[in-house]
Coordinates of all heavy atoms in Angstrom, one line a residue:
M4 N -36.5 187.8 120.0 CA -36.5 186.4 120.3 C -35.8 185.6 119.3 O -36.0 185.8 118.1 CB -38.0 186.0 120.5 CG -38.7 186.5 121.7 SD -40.3 185.8 121.8 CE -41.1 187.2 122.5
I5 N -35.0 184.7 119.7 CA -34.3 183.8 118.8 C -35.0 182.5 118.7 O -35.2 181.8 119.7 CB -32.8 183.6 119.3 CG1 -32.2 185.0 119.4 CG2 -32.1 182.7 118.4 CD1 -30.9 185.0 120.2
P6 N -35.3 182.0 117.5 CA -35.9 180.7 117.3 C -35.0 179.6 117.9 O -33.8 179.6 117.7 CB -36.1 180.5 115.8 CG -35.9 181.8 115.2 CD -35.1 182.6 116.2
M7 N -35.6 178.6 118.6 CA -34.8 177.5 119.1 C -34.9 176.3 118.3 O -33.9 175.8 117.8 CB -35.2 177.2 120.6 CG -34.8 178.3 121.5 SD -35.4 178.0 123.2 CE -34.5 176.5 123.6
Q8 N -36.1 175.8 118.1 CA -36.3 174.5 117.4 C -37.8 174.5 116.9 O -38.6 174.9 117.6 CB -35.9 173.3 118.2 CG -36.0 172.0 117.4 CD -35.3 170.9 118.1 OE1 -34.7 171.1 119.2 NE2 -35.4 169.7 117.6
S9 N -38.0 173.9 115.8 CA -39.4 173.7 115.2 C -39.8 172.3 115.2 O -39.0 171.4 115.1 CB -39.4 174.3 113.8 OG -39.2 175.7 113.8
F10 N -41.1 172.1 115.3 CA -41.7 170.8 115.3 C -43.0 170.8 114.4 O -43.7 171.8 114.5 CB -42.1 170.4 116.7 CG -41.0 170.4 117.7 CD1 -40.7 171.5 118.5 CD2 -40.2 169.3 117.9 CE1 -39.7 171.5 119.4 CE2 -39.1 169.3 118.8 CZ -38.9 170.4 119.5
A11 N -43.2 169.8 113.6 CA -44.4 169.7 112.8 C -45.2 168.5 113.2 O -44.6 167.4 113.5 CB -44.1 169.7 111.4
F12 N -46.5 168.7 113.3 CA -47.4 167.5 113.7 C -48.8 167.8 113.3 O -49.2 168.9 112.9 CB -47.3 167.3 115.2 CG -47.7 168.5 116.0 CD1 -49.0 168.7 116.4 CD2 -46.8 169.5 116.4 CE1 -49.4 169.9 117.2 CE2 -47.1 170.6 117.2 CZ -48.4 170.8 117.5
R13 N -49.7 166.8 113.4 CA -51.1 167.0 113.2 C -51.8 166.5 114.5 O -51.4 165.5 115.1 CB -51.6 166.1 112.1 CG -51.3 166.6 110.7 CD -52.0 165.7 109.7 NE -51.7 166.2 108.4 CZ -52.3 167.2 107.7 NH1 -53.3 167.8 108.4 NH2 -52.0 167.6 106.6
A14 N -52.8 167.3 115.0 CA -53.5 166.9 116.2 C -54.9 167.6 116.1 O -55.0 168.6 115.5 CB -52.8 167.4 117.4
P15 N -55.9 167.0 116.7 CA -57.3 167.5 116.6 C -57.5 168.8 117.5 O -56.9 169.0 118.5 CB -58.1 166.4 117.2 CG -57.2 165.6 118.1 CD -55.8 165.7 117.5
I16 N -58.4 169.6 116.9 CA -58.8 170.8 117.7 C -59.9 170.4 118.6 O -60.8 169.7 118.2 CB -59.3 171.9 116.7 CG1 -58.2 172.4 115.8 CG2 -59.9 173.1 117.4 CD1 -58.6 173.3 114.7
R17 N -59.8 170.9 119.9 CA -60.8 170.5 120.9 C -61.2 171.7 121.7 O -60.5 172.7 121.7 CB -60.3 169.4 121.8 CG -59.2 169.8 122.6 CD -58.8 168.7 123.6 NE -57.7 169.1 124.5 CZ -57.8 169.7 125.6 NH1 -59.0 170.1 126.0 NH2 -56.8 170.1 126.4
L18 N -62.3 171.7 122.3 CA -62.8 172.7 123.2 C -62.1 172.5 124.6 O -62.0 171.4 125.1 CB -64.3 172.7 123.4 CG -65.1 173.4 122.3 CD1 -66.6 173.3 122.6 CD2 -64.8 174.9 122.2
W19 N -61.9 173.6 125.3 CA -61.4 173.6 126.6 C -62.4 173.0 127.5 O -63.6 173.2 127.3 CB -61.0 175.0 127.1 CG -60.5 175.1 128.4 CD1 -61.0 175.7 129.5 CD2 -59.2 174.6 128.9 NE1 -60.2 175.6 130.6 CE2 -59.1 174.9 130.2 CE3 -58.2 173.9 128.3 CZ2 -58.0 174.6 131.0 CZ3 -57.0 173.6 129.0 CH2 -57.0 173.9 130.4
D20 N -62.0 172.2 128.5 CA -62.9 171.6 129.4 C -63.6 172.5 130.4 O -64.7 172.2 130.9 CB -62.2 170.5 130.2 CG -61.7 169.3 129.4 OD1 -62.3 169.1 128.3 OD2 -60.8 168.7 129.8
G21 N -63.1 173.7 130.6 CA -63.6 174.6 131.6 C -64.6 175.6 130.9 O -65.2 175.4 129.8
E22 N -64.8 176.8 131.6 CA -65.7 177.8 131.1 C -65.1 178.4 129.8 O -63.9 178.5 129.6 CB -65.9 178.9 132.2 CG -66.7 178.3 133.4 CD -66.9 179.4 134.4 OE1 -67.1 180.6 134.0 OE2 -66.9 179.1 135.6
G23 N -66.0 179.0 129.0 CA -65.6 179.7 127.8 C -65.5 178.7 126.6 O -65.7 177.5 126.7
A24 N -65.3 179.3 125.5 CA -65.3 178.5 124.2 C -63.9 178.5 123.6 O -63.7 178.6 122.4 CB -66.3 179.2 123.2
W25 N -62.9 178.4 124.5 CA -61.5 178.3 124.0 C -61.3 177.0 123.2 O -61.6 176.0 123.6 CB -60.5 178.3 125.2 CG -60.5 179.6 125.9 CD1 -61.3 180.0 127.0 CD2 -59.7 180.8 125.6 NE1 -61.0 181.3 127.4 CE2 -60.1 181.8 126.5 CE3 -58.8 181.0 124.6 CZ2 -59.5 183.0 126.5 CZ3 -58.2 182.3 124.6 CH2 -58.5 183.3 125.5
H26 N -60.6 177.2 122.1 CA -60.2 176.1 121.2 C -58.7 175.8 121.4 O -57.9 176.8 121.3 CB -60.5 176.4 119.8 CG -62.0 176.4 119.5 ND1 -62.9 177.3 120.0 CD2 -62.8 175.6 118.7 CE1 -64.1 177.1 119.5 NE2 -64.1 176.0 118.8
F27 N -58.4 174.6 121.6 CA -57.0 174.2 121.8 C -56.6 173.0 120.9 O -57.4 172.2 120.5 CB -56.8 173.8 123.3 CG -56.7 174.9 124.2 CD1 -57.9 175.4 124.8 CD2 -55.5 175.6 124.5 CE1 -57.9 176.4 125.7 CE2 -55.5 176.6 125.4 CZ -56.7 177.1 126.0
I28 N -55.3 172.9 120.8 CA -54.7 171.6 120.2 C -53.7 171.1 121.3 O -52.9 171.9 121.8 CB -54.0 171.9 118.9 CG1 -55.0 172.2 117.8 CG2 -53.1 170.7 118.6 CD1 -54.3 172.5 116.4
T29 N -53.9 169.9 121.7 CA -52.9 169.3 122.6 C -51.7 168.8 121.8 O -51.9 168.0 120.9 CB -53.6 168.1 123.4 OG1 -54.7 168.7 124.1 CG2 -52.6 167.5 124.4
L30 N -50.5 169.2 122.2 CA -49.3 168.8 121.5 C -49.1 167.3 121.7 O -49.4 166.8 122.8 CB -48.1 169.5 122.0 CG -47.9 170.9 121.4 CD1 -49.0 171.9 121.6 CD2 -46.5 171.4 121.8
P31 N -48.7 166.5 120.7 CA -48.3 165.1 120.9 C -47.3 165.0 122.0 O -46.4 165.9 122.2 CB -47.7 164.7 119.6 CG -48.3 165.7 118.6 CD -48.4 167.0 119.3
K32 N -47.3 163.9 122.8 CA -46.4 163.8 123.9 C -45.0 163.8 123.5 O -44.1 164.3 124.3 CB -46.8 162.5 124.7 CG -48.1 162.7 125.5 CD -48.4 161.5 126.4 CE -49.7 161.8 127.1 NZ -50.1 160.8 128.0
N33 N -44.6 163.2 122.4 CA -43.2 163.2 122.0 C -42.7 164.7 121.7 O -41.6 165.0 122.0 CB -43.0 162.3 120.8 CG -43.7 162.8 119.5 OD1 -44.8 163.3 119.6 ND2 -43.0 162.5 118.4
V34 N -43.6 165.5 121.2 CA -43.2 166.9 120.9 C -43.1 167.6 122.3 O -42.1 168.3 122.5 CB -44.2 167.6 120.0 CG1 -44.0 169.1 119.9 CG2 -44.3 167.0 118.6
A35 N -44.0 167.4 123.2 CA -43.9 168.0 124.5 C -42.6 167.6 125.2 O -42.0 168.4 125.9 CB -45.1 167.6 125.3
K36 N -42.3 166.3 125.1 CA -41.0 165.8 125.7 C -39.8 166.6 125.2 O -39.0 167.0 126.0 CB -40.9 164.3 125.5 CG -39.7 163.7 126.1 CD -39.6 162.2 125.8 CE -38.3 161.7 126.4 NZ -38.2 160.2 126.1
H37 N -39.7 166.8 123.9 CA -38.6 167.5 123.3 C -38.6 168.9 123.7 O -37.5 169.5 124.0 CB -38.7 167.4 121.8 CG -38.3 166.1 121.2 ND1 -37.0 165.5 121.3 CD2 -39.0 165.2 120.5 CE1 -37.0 164.3 120.7 NE2 -38.2 164.1 120.3
I38 N -39.8 169.6 123.8 CA -39.8 171.0 124.3 C -39.4 171.1 125.7 O -38.6 172.0 126.1 CB -41.2 171.5 124.1 CG1 -41.5 171.7 122.6 CG2 -41.4 172.9 124.8 CD1 -42.9 172.1 122.2
R39 N -39.8 170.2 126.6 CA -39.3 170.2 128.0 C -37.8 170.1 128.1 O -37.2 170.7 128.9 CB -40.0 169.1 128.8 CG -41.4 169.4 129.1 CD -42.0 168.4 130.1 NE -43.4 168.6 130.3 CZ -44.4 168.0 129.6 NH1 -44.1 167.0 128.7 NH2 -45.6 168.3 129.8
C40 N -37.2 169.3 127.2 CA -35.8 169.2 127.2 C -35.1 170.5 126.8 O -33.9 170.7 127.2 CB -35.3 168.0 126.2 SG -35.7 166.4 126.9
L41 N -35.7 171.3 126.0 CA -35.2 172.5 125.5 C -35.2 173.6 126.6 O -34.4 174.6 126.6 CB -35.9 173.0 124.2 CG -35.7 172.2 123.0 CD1 -36.7 172.8 121.9 CD2 -34.3 172.3 122.5
I42 N -36.2 173.6 127.4 CA -36.5 174.7 128.3 C -36.0 174.3 129.7 O -36.3 173.3 130.3 CB -38.1 174.9 128.4 CG1 -38.7 175.2 127.1 CG2 -38.4 176.0 129.4 CD1 -38.1 176.4 126.3
I43 N -35.1 175.2 130.2 CA -34.5 175.0 131.6 C -35.6 175.3 132.6 O -35.8 174.6 133.6 CB -33.3 175.8 131.7 CG1 -32.2 175.3 130.8 CG2 -32.8 175.8 133.2 CD1 -31.0 176.2 130.7
K44 N -36.3 176.4 132.4 CA -37.4 176.8 133.3 C -38.4 177.6 132.5 O -38.1 178.2 131.5 CB -36.9 177.7 134.5 CG -36.3 179.0 134.1 CD -35.8 179.8 135.3 CE -35.3 181.1 134.8 NZ -35.0 182.0 135.9
P45 N -39.7 177.6 133.0 CA -40.7 178.4 132.3 C -40.3 179.8 132.2 O -39.7 180.4 133.1 CB -41.9 178.2 133.1 CG -41.7 176.9 133.9 CD -40.2 176.9 134.1
V46 N -40.6 180.4 131.0 CA -40.2 181.8 130.8 C -41.3 182.8 131.0 O -41.1 184.0 131.0 CB -39.6 182.0 129.4 CG1 -38.3 181.2 129.3 CG2 -40.5 181.5 128.3
R47 N -42.5 182.3 131.3 CA -43.6 183.2 131.5 C -44.6 182.6 132.5 O -44.4 181.5 133.0 CB -44.4 183.4 130.1 CG -43.5 184.0 129.1 CD -44.1 184.1 127.7 NE -45.2 185.1 127.7 CZ -45.1 186.4 127.5 NH1 -43.9 186.9 127.4 NH2 -46.2 187.2 127.5
G48 N -45.6 183.4 132.8 CA -46.6 183.0 133.9 C -47.3 181.7 133.5 O -47.4 181.3 132.4
W49 N -47.8 181.0 134.5 CA -48.5 179.7 134.4 C -47.6 178.6 133.8 O -48.2 177.7 133.2 CB -49.8 179.8 133.7 CG -50.8 180.8 134.4 CD1 -51.4 180.6 135.6 CD2 -51.2 182.0 133.9 NE1 -52.2 181.6 135.9 CE2 -52.1 182.5 134.9 CE3 -51.0 182.7 132.8 CZ2 -52.8 183.7 134.7 CZ3 -51.7 183.9 132.6 CH2 -52.5 184.4 133.6
G50 N -46.3 178.8 133.7 CA -45.5 177.8 133.1 C -45.5 177.8 131.6 O -45.1 176.9 130.9
S51 N -46.0 178.9 131.0 CA -46.2 179.0 129.6 C -44.8 179.2 128.9 O -43.8 179.7 129.5 CB -47.1 180.2 129.2 OG -46.5 181.4 129.6
I52 N -44.8 178.9 127.6 CA -43.6 179.0 126.8 C -44.0 179.7 125.5 O -44.9 179.3 124.8 CB -43.0 177.6 126.5 CG1 -42.6 176.9 127.8 CG2 -41.9 177.6 125.5 CD1 -42.3 175.4 127.6
R53 N -43.2 180.7 125.1 CA -43.5 181.5 123.9 C -43.1 180.7 122.7 O -42.1 180.0 122.6 CB -42.6 182.8 123.9 CG -43.0 183.8 124.9 CD -44.4 184.4 124.6 NE -44.4 185.2 123.4 CZ -45.4 185.6 122.7 NH1 -46.6 185.3 123.1 NH2 -45.3 186.3 121.6
V54 N -44.0 180.7 121.7 CA -43.9 180.0 120.4 C -44.4 180.8 119.3 O -45.1 181.7 119.4 CB -44.6 178.6 120.5 CG1 -44.0 177.7 121.5 CG2 -46.1 178.8 120.7
S55 N -43.9 180.5 118.1 CA -44.4 180.9 116.8 C -45.1 179.7 116.2 O -44.6 178.6 116.2 CB -43.3 181.5 115.9 OG -43.8 181.8 114.7
V56 N -46.3 180.0 115.7 CA -47.1 178.9 115.1 C -47.5 179.2 113.7 O -47.9 180.3 113.4 CB -48.4 178.7 116.0 CG1 -49.2 177.5 115.5 CG2 -48.1 178.5 117.4
S57 N -47.5 178.1 112.9 CA -48.1 178.2 111.5 C -49.1 177.1 111.3 O -48.8 175.9 111.6 CB -47.0 178.1 110.5 OG -46.1 179.2 110.5
I58 N -50.2 177.5 110.8 CA -51.2 176.5 110.3 C -51.7 177.1 108.9 O -52.2 178.2 108.9 CB -52.4 176.4 111.3 CG1 -52.0 175.8 112.6 CG2 -53.5 175.5 110.6 CD1 -53.1 175.7 113.6
G59 N -51.5 176.3 107.9 CA -51.8 176.8 106.6 C -51.1 178.1 106.3 O -49.8 178.1 106.5
S60 N -51.8 179.1 105.8 CA -51.1 180.4 105.5 C -51.1 181.3 106.7 O -50.6 182.5 106.6 CB -51.8 181.1 104.3 OG -53.1 181.4 104.7
S61 N -51.6 180.9 107.9 CA -51.6 181.7 109.1 C -50.4 181.5 110.0 O -50.1 180.3 110.2 CB -52.9 181.5 109.9 OG -54.0 181.7 109.1
T62 N -49.7 182.5 110.4 CA -48.6 182.5 111.3 C -48.8 183.5 112.4 O -49.2 184.6 112.1 CB -47.3 182.7 110.6 OG1 -47.1 181.7 109.6 CG2 -46.1 182.6 111.5
W63 N -48.6 183.1 113.6 CA -48.8 184.1 114.7 C -47.9 183.6 115.9 O -47.4 182.5 116.0 CB -50.2 184.2 115.2 CG -50.8 183.0 115.9 CD1 -51.0 182.9 117.2 CD2 -51.3 181.8 115.3 NE1 -51.6 181.7 117.5 CE2 -51.7 181.0 116.4 CE3 -51.3 181.2 114.0 CZ2 -52.2 179.7 116.2 CZ3 -51.8 180.0 113.8 CH2 -52.3 179.2 114.9
K64 N -47.7 184.5 116.9 CA -46.9 184.3 118.1 C -47.9 184.1 119.2 O -48.9 184.9 119.3 CB -45.9 185.4 118.4 CG -44.8 185.3 117.4 CD -43.8 186.4 117.7 CE -42.7 186.4 116.7 NZ -41.8 187.5 116.8
T65 N -47.7 183.1 120.1 CA -48.6 182.9 121.2 C -47.7 182.2 122.3 O -46.5 182.1 122.2 CB -49.8 182.1 120.8 OG1 -50.7 182.1 121.9 CG2 -49.5 180.7 120.3
S66 N -48.4 181.5 123.2 CA -47.8 180.7 124.2 C -48.5 179.4 124.3 O -49.6 179.3 124.0 CB -47.8 181.4 125.6 OG -47.1 182.5 125.6
I67 N -47.7 178.3 124.6 CA -48.3 177.0 124.9 C -48.3 176.9 126.5 O -47.4 177.5 127.1 CB -47.5 175.9 124.3 CG1 -46.0 175.9 124.6 CG2 -47.7 175.9 122.8 CD1 -45.3 174.7 124.1
F68 N -49.2 176.1 127.0 CA -49.4 176.0 128.4 C -49.3 174.6 128.9 O -49.9 173.7 128.2 CB -50.7 176.6 128.8 CG -50.9 178.1 128.5 CD1 -51.3 178.5 127.2 CD2 -50.5 179.1 129.4 CE1 -51.4 179.8 126.9 CE2 -50.6 180.4 129.0 CZ -51.1 180.8 127.8
P69 N -48.7 174.3 130.0 CA -48.6 172.9 130.5 C -50.0 172.5 130.8 O -50.8 173.2 131.4 CB -47.7 173.0 131.7 CG -47.7 174.4 132.1 CD -48.0 175.2 130.9
D70 N -50.3 171.2 130.5 CA -51.6 170.6 130.8 C -51.4 169.3 131.6 O -50.9 168.3 131.0 CB -52.4 170.4 129.5 CG -53.8 169.7 129.8 OD1 -54.5 170.2 130.7 OD2 -54.1 168.8 129.0
K71 N -51.7 169.3 132.9 CA -51.5 168.1 133.7 C -52.3 166.9 133.3 O -51.9 165.8 133.3 CB -51.8 168.4 135.2 CG -50.8 169.3 135.8 CD -51.1 169.6 137.3 CE -50.2 170.6 137.9 NZ -50.5 170.9 139.3
K72 N -53.5 167.2 132.8 CA -54.5 166.1 132.4 C -53.9 165.3 131.3 O -54.0 164.1 131.3 CB -55.8 166.7 132.0 CG -56.9 165.7 131.7 CD -58.2 166.4 131.4 CE -59.3 165.4 131.1 NZ -60.5 166.1 130.8
S73 N -53.3 166.0 130.3 CA -52.7 165.2 129.2 C -51.2 165.0 129.3 O -50.6 164.3 128.4 CB -53.0 166.0 127.9 OG -52.2 167.2 127.9
A74 N -50.6 165.5 130.3 CA -49.1 165.4 130.5 C -48.4 166.0 129.3 O -47.4 165.5 128.8 CB -48.7 164.0 130.8
S75 N -49.0 167.1 128.7 CA -48.4 167.7 127.5 C -48.6 169.2 127.6 O -48.6 169.7 128.8 CB -49.1 167.2 126.3 OG -48.5 167.7 125.1
F76 N -48.6 169.9 126.5 CA -48.9 171.3 126.4 C -50.1 171.5 125.6 O -50.4 170.7 124.7 CB -47.7 172.1 125.8 CG -46.5 172.1 126.6 CD1 -45.5 171.2 126.4 CD2 -46.3 173.1 127.6 CE1 -44.3 171.2 127.1 CE2 -45.2 173.1 128.4 CZ -44.2 172.2 128.1
V77 N -50.9 172.6 125.8 CA -52.0 173.0 125.0 C -51.7 174.3 124.2 O -51.0 175.2 124.8 CB -53.3 173.1 125.7 CG1 -53.8 171.7 126.2 CG2 -53.2 174.1 126.9
L78 N -52.1 174.3 123.0 CA -51.9 175.5 122.1 C -53.2 176.1 121.8 O -54.1 175.4 121.2 CB -51.2 175.0 120.8 CG -51.2 175.9 119.6 CD1 -50.3 177.1 119.9 CD2 -50.8 175.2 118.4
P79 N -53.4 177.3 122.2 CA -54.7 178.0 121.9 C -54.8 178.3 120.4 O -53.8 178.8 119.8 CB -54.7 179.3 122.7 CG -53.3 179.5 123.1 CD -52.6 178.2 123.0
I80 N -55.9 178.1 119.8 CA -56.2 178.4 118.4 C -57.2 179.5 118.3 O -58.4 179.2 118.6 CB -56.6 177.2 117.6 CG1 -55.7 176.0 117.8 CG2 -56.8 177.5 116.1 CD1 -54.3 176.2 117.3
K81 N -56.8 180.7 118.0 CA -57.7 181.8 118.1 C -58.7 181.8 116.9 O -58.5 181.2 115.9 CB -56.9 183.2 118.1 CG -56.0 183.4 117.0 CD -55.2 184.7 117.3 CE -54.2 185.0 116.2 NZ -53.5 186.2 116.4
L82 N -59.8 182.5 117.1 CA -60.9 182.5 116.2 C -60.5 183.0 114.8 O -60.9 182.4 113.8 CB -62.1 183.4 116.7 CG -63.3 183.6 115.8 CD1 -63.9 182.2 115.6 CD2 -64.3 184.5 116.5
A83 N -59.7 184.0 114.7 CA -59.2 184.6 113.4 C -58.5 183.5 112.6 O -58.7 183.4 111.4 CB -58.3 185.8 113.6
V84 N -57.7 182.7 113.3 CA -57.0 181.6 112.5 C -58.0 180.5 112.1 O -58.0 180.0 111.0 CB -55.9 181.0 113.4 CG1 -55.3 179.7 112.8 CG2 -54.8 182.0 113.7
R85 N -58.9 180.1 113.0 CA -59.9 179.1 112.7 C -60.8 179.5 111.5 O -61.0 178.7 110.6 CB -60.8 178.8 113.9 CG -60.0 178.2 115.0 CD -60.9 177.6 116.1 NE -62.1 178.3 116.5 CZ -62.1 179.2 117.5 NH1 -61.1 179.5 118.2 NH2 -63.3 179.8 117.7
K86 N -61.1 180.8 111.4 CA -61.9 181.3 110.3 C -61.1 181.4 109.0 O -61.5 180.9 108.0 CB -62.4 182.7 110.6 CG -63.6 182.7 111.6 CD -64.2 184.1 111.7 CE -65.4 184.1 112.6 NZ -66.0 185.4 112.7
A87 N -59.9 181.9 109.1 CA -59.0 182.0 107.9 C -58.7 180.7 107.3 O -58.6 180.5 106.1 CB -57.7 182.8 108.3
E88 N -58.5 179.7 108.2 CA -58.1 178.3 107.7 C -59.3 177.4 107.6 O -59.1 176.2 107.3 CB -57.0 177.8 108.6 CG -55.7 178.6 108.7 CD -55.1 178.9 107.4 OE1 -55.1 178.0 106.5 OE2 -54.5 180.0 107.2
K89 N -60.5 177.9 107.9 CA -61.7 177.1 107.8 C -61.6 175.8 108.7 O -61.9 174.7 108.2 CB -62.1 176.8 106.3 CG -62.3 178.0 105.5 CD -62.6 177.6 104.1 CE -63.0 178.8 103.2 NZ -61.9 179.7 102.9
L90 N -61.2 176.0 109.9 CA -61.0 174.9 110.8 C -62.2 174.8 111.8 O -62.8 175.8 112.2 CB -59.8 175.2 111.7 CG -58.5 175.2 110.9 CD1 -57.3 175.6 111.8 CD2 -58.2 173.8 110.3
N91 N -62.6 173.6 112.1 CA -63.7 173.2 113.0 C -63.2 172.3 114.1 O -62.1 171.7 114.0 CB -64.8 172.6 112.2 CG -65.4 173.6 111.2 OD1 -65.9 174.6 111.6 ND2 -65.3 173.2 109.9
L92 N -64.0 172.1 115.1 CA -63.7 171.1 116.1 C -63.4 169.8 115.5 O -64.1 169.4 114.6 CB -64.8 171.0 117.1 CG -65.0 172.2 118.1 CD1 -66.3 172.0 118.9 CD2 -63.8 172.4 119.0
G93 N -62.4 169.1 116.0 CA -62.1 167.8 115.5 C -61.2 167.7 114.3 O -60.6 166.7 114.0
D94 N -61.0 168.9 113.6 CA -60.1 168.9 112.5 C -58.7 168.7 113.0 O -58.4 169.1 114.1 CB -60.2 170.2 111.7 CG -61.4 170.4 110.9 OD1 -62.2 169.4 110.7 OD2 -61.7 171.6 110.5
K95 N -57.8 168.1 112.1 CA -56.4 167.8 112.5 C -55.5 168.6 111.5 O -55.0 168.0 110.6 CB -56.2 166.3 112.5 CG -56.9 165.5 113.5 CD -56.6 164.1 113.4 CE -57.3 163.3 114.4 NZ -57.0 161.8 114.3
P96 N -55.3 169.9 111.8 CA -54.5 170.6 110.8 C -53.0 170.3 111.0 O -52.6 169.8 112.1 CB -54.7 172.1 111.2 CG -55.1 172.0 112.7 CD -55.9 170.7 112.8
E97 N -52.2 170.5 110.0 CA -50.8 170.4 110.1 C -50.3 171.7 110.8 O -50.6 172.8 110.4 CB -50.2 170.4 108.7 CG -48.6 170.3 108.7 CD -48.1 169.0 109.0 OE1 -48.7 168.0 108.8 OE2 -46.9 169.0 109.5
V98 N -49.6 171.5 111.9 CA -49.1 172.6 112.8 C -47.6 172.6 112.8 O -47.0 171.5 112.9 CB -49.6 172.4 114.2 CG1 -49.1 173.5 115.1 CG2 -51.1 172.3 114.3
T99 N -47.0 173.7 112.6 CA -45.6 173.9 112.8 C -45.4 174.9 113.9 O -45.9 176.0 113.9 CB -44.9 174.4 111.5 OG1 -45.1 173.5 110.5 CG2 -43.4 174.5 111.8
I100 N -44.7 174.4 114.9 CA -44.5 175.2 116.1 C -43.0 175.4 116.3 O -42.3 174.5 116.3 CB -45.2 174.6 117.3 CG1 -45.3 175.5 118.5 CG2 -44.6 173.3 117.7 CD1 -46.2 175.0 119.6
T101 N -42.6 176.7 116.6 CA -41.2 177.0 116.8 C -41.1 177.6 118.2 O -41.8 178.6 118.5 CB -40.7 178.1 115.8 OG1 -40.9 177.5 114.5 CG2 -39.2 178.4 116.0
V102 N -40.3 177.0 119.0 CA -40.1 177.5 120.4 C -39.2 178.7 120.3 O -38.2 178.7 119.6 CB -39.4 176.4 121.3 CG1 -39.1 176.9 122.7 CG2 -40.3 175.1 121.3
L103 N -39.5 179.7 121.0 CA -38.8 181.0 121.0 C -38.1 181.2 122.3 O -38.6 180.8 123.4 CB -39.7 182.2 120.7 CG -40.5 182.1 119.4 CD1 -41.5 183.2 119.4 CD2 -39.6 182.2 118.2
K104 N -36.9 181.8 122.3 CA -36.2 182.1 123.5 C -36.7 183.4 124.1 O -37.1 184.3 123.4 CB -34.7 182.3 123.3 CG -33.9 181.0 123.3 CD -32.5 181.3 123.3 CE -31.7 180.0 123.5 NZ -30.3 180.2 123.4

């Protein structure tokens, strides 16, 4: 996968509105707009887009998913990262996200 473009931002960690205890960060709308301009069509299921993410000293590959409610994308924050970076609901970590081809 070839990196396309990176974006840095802060946004709060929140719980998914549905079942389960999924933790997400909703991307700022201006970041989502730039990502939509980069992507010609979704490259994976559910309209997801492959990304590399860094928060603190943690870096991992995952996907962001379109979210109609926020008109943006949501980024799942896995438990291992939340523990390693000592993150809790409502925290606003510095996130660097790189869109991958």
